[in-house]
Amino acid sequence: MENKLEYFLELIHMDKKEEFINTKLQRVIVNSKDSIITIFLETTELIEPKLYFELKQKMENYFQSNIEIKINNLGDKSLYLDEYYKMFLPKYINYFQDRLKINGENNNYIV
């Protein structure tokens, strides 16, 4: 783990440093106008979805701001893919629900 990420995890009181061994903190962008902090991480082993949300929650609590985490995954792209889809997809389907039509034959969404 890179020193920048280790310091950052200590700052937000994230005790699970061993899970971030293969992860580097690339950069942090603060958009004070929209109150959004974007964290860019790079990893060779994707972070578990449960750990991702714990990290996001601790950052939002510490910085009192909206947090966006962008991860550049250099390893197995399919690792945890199913779990991430199950967590994020309902949010986007609800957002686009008025714009989507359901195909009655196979219950697929059609844009």
Side-chain angles (χ1 to χ4, degrees), residues 31-64:
N31 181 338
S32 55
K33 179 183 171 191
D34 295 328
S35 187
I36 296 174
I37 299 173
T38 306
I39 311 294
F40 292 87
L41 302 175
E42 184 176 87
T43 184
T44 56
E45 191 173 317
L46 194 57
I47 300 166
E48 289 181 52
K50 194 182 252 186
L51 189 61
Y52 169 87
F53 283 109
E54 182 180 344
L55 176 64
K56 185 174 174 17
Q57 184 64 45
K58 286 195 180 269
M59 285 193 283
E60 287 178 342
N61 289 342
Y62 183 83
F63 293 110
Q64 296 296 305

Side-chain angles (χ1 to χ4, degrees), residues 48-50 52-53 81-92:
E48 289 181 52
K50 194 182 252 186
Y52 169 87
F53 283 109
L81 185 63
D82 198 36
E83 294 170 47
Y84 274 107
Y85 269 116
K86 287 178 184 174
M87 292 180 155
F88 286 111
L89 197 57
K91 174 182 170 184
Y92 292 106

